[in-house]
Amino acid sequence: MYGLDEVRAGHDDPSPEPATSRASPKPQRPDPAPVRVPTGNGGFLVVEDAPLDATLIRKLLARSFPEAPTRIVGTLAEAVETLPGEFELILLNLGLPDGHGLDAVLQMLDAAKGIPIVVLTGMDDADLARQCLEHGVQDFVVKHTLDEATLRRAIGYARARDHAQRLTQQLQHVDRLAAIGRLVAAVAHEVNNPAAFIRLNTEELLHQVSDLHALLEGPEPRPDAESLREWLDELRTILVDNLDGVERVTRLLRDLQPLTKSRAQNIDRVDAAEACRSTCDALDLRPEHRTHLRLRLDPVPAVQADPGRLGQVVANLVLNAMQSLDGPDDDDEVVVTTSTSGPWVLVTVRDTGCGIAPEDRARIFEPFYSTKPKTKNTGLGLSISQEIVQSLGGKIDFESQPNKGTCFFVRLPIAEAISSDESQLARPSPPLTALARRRILLVDDEPKVLEALGRCLAHHHEITLASSGHEALAVLHDNDRFDVVVCDLVMPGLDGVALIERIRAQYPTLTHRIIVLSGGAATPRTAAFVDHTDLPILNKPISADMILGAIEDTARRAAPPRAPR
């Protein structure tokens, strides 16, 4: 193989004189096996400050790739100004006036925006070559090994690798689309079932209300008390089923939220034992199930976690364990324990239930896979729990025996000592007894949501409705003496974020009297607001108790409202 000096001596002229005319001819070595070179659509950008080397590289490129134009620049600054351009490949020297070694590579990679790079350098440094390749260059060629065949091979390999990378990205994109399609289909199936019976039930309610109107207005005798009681019981059953269907959809959407990662985790130092205790205390368990829940929580070191998401893991595991009891007897129990194991805090949830069948064990962490009835489980609890635990640097595993029970093990790394205060789980809202009547401003652009909120709250509070951010500002301009402002986040025109900023600037007494309603942070702006706000956020759909509790909690925490003018 020719060195660079030999290339200069023997290959400058496109038509060198025959070897027989030379005084000391070099022995001819056979060319390497030809490399299949994909045809590129663009040209070459050569970043080389040595004029002679640049000229030789241009000549070698012209011989091997006559169809590809070549542009030569002498500095990184010139190269950055030239990009982006119609280039399919960059040949980069690492000894430039304004860039040297790996630093030159990193600057060019940033400017190239995906154009493959081949390094041509006089630095014969194996460690540097490894670093360049690890950061994304396609090849590393030392100048003293350079000849026409070597250059053709390097460019051919670079093109092939770039093509392979693009194919891989396309396949990954196709896989992501397929995964999204499967997820959408699964979500549609889970939503369509309750939507079907909610719609049918609602249509039946409308028919029965029409029958009631006809009965009251017609000549037929009115039903006796017993018949009327049976009729009301049927209506109640329909309404309870509808609420159950809404709860199923709500639970599904809640379980899907961690997969979107739209809200940043509030990572802090968390007492895992206290998180388990608080979560279990807050669970909505039937009395016969709560009597079988045992907490054996030893003191443990703090872990780095999002308190809410850690609580979600514990809640998912405990609820799954309770469902496995299936009519608990006196000997059944669900035991939650905390302990320390080496560098880990260990949280275990053990039950004496039916266990997991061998054929189901490989699939229990799959999204939407569940052995329980759909009315009890969305099939997302364990997959979400696994995603949360892994995002915290932990591990989740289980042991199970049919008809003897199951034990889930959650291992979380012990937090390193930091100066921040210990995290505390949010305390619950005060009980809804003897609510004080307050003045509430409701802001939502969805008329039916606004009307429903108004009907719900009017039993307890004095309500003013605003269907847009601008309408809310007009209301506040006339009278800003409200105890609480309940504001939707995503609205056309003046959205919730802008409205809250205006309220804080113009009506500072309301700064801590705002409750945010969110149907989902649909834009980066609203997602950033949700991640960083200190205001209470209620995610739709909400219940009457949720909104009433939040109003009472907000009003109690805030200072008394300003006196009338």
Side-chain angles (χ1 to χ4, degrees):
M1 186 177 293
Y2 296 111
L4 188 59
D5 291 337
E6 294 161 344
V7 172
R8 291 171 181 163
H11 292 272
D12 276 359
D13 186 351
S15 303
E17 62 180 292
T20 55
S21 66
R22 298 178 181 173
S24 302
K26 288 184 177 288
Q28 298 293 315
R29 87 173 39 171
D31 286 338
V35 177
R36 181 181 179 276
V37 180
T39 301
N41 295 323
F44 301 113
L45 176 63
V46 179
V47 190
E48 173 62 72
D49 64 319
L52 184 57
D53 288 351
T55 300
L56 294 171
I57 293 170
R58 183 196 290 275
K59 287 185 177 181
L60 292 176
L61 290 173
R63 291 174 182 172
S64 298
F65 310 101
E67 78 288 351
T70 299
R71 172 78 180 273
I72 296 178
V73 297
T75 64
L76 281 175
E78 290 180 81
V80 171
E81 289 179 2
T82 304
L83 295 169
E86 296 299 323
F87 300 107
E88 65 158 311
L89 189 132
I90 299 170
L91 299 170
L92 175 66
N93 182 23
L94 299 188
L96 299 166
D98 54 350
H100 188 83
L102 185 61
D103 180 64
V105 169
L106 296 177
Q107 291 186 56
M108 187 52 60
L109 284 169
D110 184 60
K113 306 301 183 186
I115 301 174
I117 297 174
V118 171
V119 169
L120 289 180
T121 179
M123 303 177 188
D124 193 355
D125 185 331
D127 187 57
L128 176 61
R130 176 186 56 79
Q131 292 177 343
C132 291
L133 293 170
E134 287 178 349
H135 280 86
V137 303
Q138 299 295 340
D139 210 342
F140 188 99
V141 179
V142 181
K143 285 183 177 179
H144 74 76
T145 68
L146 181 66
D147 62 6
E148 187 175 333
T150 303
L151 186 59
R152 292 184 74 248
R153 181 185 296 109
I155 293 175
Y157 286 168
R159 285 172 165 174
R161 290 172 186 143
D162 181 60
H163 182 64
Q165 288 176 356
R166 294 179 187 276
L167 286 178
T168 300
Q169 291 171 355
Q170 291 174 2
L171 290 173
Q172 290 173 344
H173 180 64
V174 170
D175 286 344
R176 284 195 295 270
L177 290 178
I180 291 172
R182 291 192 295 270
L183 179 62
V184 169
V187 171
H189 178 269
E190 298 300 321
V191 170
N192 284 337
N193 281 333
F197 69 72
I198 289 173
R199 175 170 184 146
L200 291 171
N201 282 347
T202 304
E203 290 175 350
E204 176 62 22
L205 286 172
L206 290 173
H207 285 306
Q208 296 209 28
V209 169
S210 298
D211 291 345
L212 181 58
H213 274 291
L215 184 63
L216 293 175
E217 297 173 359
E220 295 83 0
R222 297 183 180 182
D224 57 34
E226 184 62 28
S227 299
L228 186 58
R229 187 177 295 108
E230 292 177 357
W231 194 355
L232 292 175
D233 286 342
E234 182 182 359
L235 295 178
R236 180 187 296 276
T237 299
I238 294 174
L239 291 171
V240 168
D241 287 347
N242 277 3
L243 282 177
D244 179 68
V246 171
E247 177 58 28
R248 284 174 59 178
V249 175
T250 302
R251 186 168 61 245
L252 171 65
L253 297 177
R254 183 178 62 242
D255 288 345
L256 283 171
Q257 283 179 347
L259 294 178
T260 67
K261 302 183 183 296
S262 61
R263 181 179 182 125
Q265 295 189 54
N266 181 27
I267 300 297
D268 206 341
R269 287 168 57 83
V270 177
D271 182 339
E274 182 56 33
C276 290
R277 187 187 312 279
S278 300
T279 300
C280 291
D281 287 347
L283 288 177
D284 184 18
L285 298 177
R286 290 182 295 177
E288 64 270 25
H289 275 159
R290 187 165 289 280
T291 59
H292 295 273
L293 179 60
R294 312 276 187 265
L295 302 183
R296 297 170 185 169
L297 306 174
D298 294 337
V300 291
V303 297
Q304 289 288 110
D306 180 315
R309 300 192 84 193
L310 178 57
Q312 184 179 359
V313 172
V314 175
N316 287 341
L317 296 180
V318 171
L319 291 174
N320 274 357
M322 287 296 178
Q323 290 171 2
S324 75
L325 299 183
D326 196 21
D329 57 33
D330 292 340
D331 295 329
D332 279 333
E333 62 180 4
V334 173
V335 183
V336 181
T337 65
T338 55
S339 60
T340 305
S341 177
W344 304 97
V345 167
L346 181 63
V347 177
T348 64
V349 179
R350 178 179 60 82
D351 66 70
T352 56
C354 59
I356 302 172
E359 62 270 18
D360 293 324
R361 293 177 189 175
R363 301 188 61 189
I364 65 168
F365 291 112
E366 291 182 14
F368 296 104
Y369 184 79
S370 177
T371 59
K372 302 181 181 69
K374 294 298 183 182
T375 55
K376 292 186 177 182
N377 199 293
T378 64
L380 282 170
L382 289 178
S383 64
I384 295 297
S385 297
Q386 184 184 55
E387 185 271 332
I388 292 173
V389 172
Q390 290 177 347
S391 73
L392 298 173
K395 305 174 182 177
I396 183 170
D397 206 348
F398 70 97
E399 295 177 353
S400 184
Q401 296 184 26
N403 302 317
K404 292 187 177 181
T406 302
C407 185
F408 277 88
F409 308 91
V410 175
R411 292 177 174 84
L412 297 171
I414 294 174
E416 297 180 0
I418 57 176
S419 59
S420 62
D421 296 331
E422 293 291 325
S423 170
Q424 294 183 352
L425 296 178
R427 60 187 181 89
S429 299
L432 302 179
T433 56
L435 292 178
R437 192 166 182 86
R438 306 184 188 277
R439 294 196 61 202
I440 311 297
L441 174 60
L442 298 177
V443 189
D444 200 303
D445 67 298
E446 173 55 56
K448 294 187 182 300
V449 172
L450 192 62
E451 292 169 8
L453 280 171
R455 282 194 296 267
C456 165
L457 298 180
H459 298 294
H460 306 276
H461 301 296
E462 182 181 341
I463 304 300
T464 301
L465 304 180
S467 60
S468 69
H470 292 292
E471 187 176 334
L473 289 178
V475 170
L476 290 170
H477 177 76
D478 294 336
N479 188 341
D480 62 356
R481 282 200 68 247
F482 287 97
D483 295 290
V484 176
V485 176
V486 181
C487 175
D488 188 26
L489 183 61
V490 178
M491 298 184 291
L494 191 71
D495 67 2
V497 178
L499 175 60
I500 290 168
E501 291 172 352
R502 297 275 291 273
I503 290 175
R504 284 175 161 172
Q506 298 178 24
Y507 309 100
T509 58
L510 297 176
T511 295
H512 301 293
R513 297 178 172 276
I514 302 171
I515 298 171
V516 179
L517 292 181
S518 174
T523 66
R525 166 185 167 86
T526 53
F529 174 84
V530 168
D531 287 342
H532 297 98
T533 186
D534 57 352
L535 296 175
I537 296 178
L538 298 180
N539 292 311
K540 299 176 182 177
I542 57 175
S543 67
D545 286 347
M546 288 172 60
I547 185 66
L548 288 169
I551 287 173
E552 186 68 12
D553 187 65
T554 300
R556 288 183 181 180
R557 290 172 183 267
R562 180 166 58 189
R565 298 175 187 175

